[in-house]
Amino acid sequence: MAYTPRSARHGALLVGTVAVLGLLTACGNGNGAQTSPPVTASGTAAPAADDTTSPASGTTSAGASPPTSTPVGTTTATASAPGTTTSSGSDTPTTSANSRCHTSELRAAVGRNDPGAGQENFPVVLTNKSARTCTVHGYPGLAFVNASGTQLGPDPERESGSPTTITLKPGQSAWAGLTFSNPEISGASTATPTALLVTPPDERDHLQVAWAGGAVPVSGNSSSVFLTVLRPGTGP
């Protein structure tokens, strides 16, 4: 047997050990996954998400609805709607719903006929009988009725006009014109009412006024009855 020097045998042993270690490293842990050393990255961690409202900023996280409120010193949509008025001696606007005259605060009357050109013209007057200032706006509702309360003829037709809000202090009045063609001239069918029912604007309850204006047209040719918008005062 040939003699192998000790140094040569020691070198061969080292080479074999290195080869075995290299083979084990390539095979991994037996399931195909390879083990990698941990990696350290520099930077600053982001703060955790906060699902609550920050008291300092007043902001709300995504997905949450902000609370609704009416800021102090502002008015709601109702208070700023068209038809608002300003009371005497005050700069604070009030809604027509709050300041309008209610049926119980008004008195109705029918003024004297002012005929002309084949037309009969009656002012229908609403007077504030209450102790407070209130408003009326637009057209009243009218209906002729007989002694049993049955309506005679259709509702009056509204003439074109520009409604305005009329402020009525206690004792003040507003009027609307009730107009129709003279039945003797127009040839319309007639009836003689006992009363006229007057409903103030935006109200449901009516006021009943005795009718002394004679026959009114209820059907046929030229039987329409017309009504004008309310205006300040008691008549033309």
Side-chain angles (χ1 to χ4, degrees), residues 162-214:
S162 300
T164 59
T165 298
I166 303 170
T167 300
L168 300 179
K169 294 180 180 180
Q172 291 185 331
S173 304
W175 69 282
L178 178 64
T179 302
F180 53 87
S181 296
N182 187 314
E184 295 181 0
I185 298 175
S186 67
S189 298
T190 65
T192 301
T194 300
L196 178 68
L197 304 184
V198 183
T199 306
D202 300 314
E203 292 290 299
R204 294 182 179 275
D205 297 331
H206 63 262
L207 301 166
Q208 182 169 313
V209 183
W211 178 255

Side-chain angles (χ1 to χ4, degrees), residues 55-70:
S57 62
T59 59
T60 306
S61 61
S65 300
T68 58
S69 64
T70 303

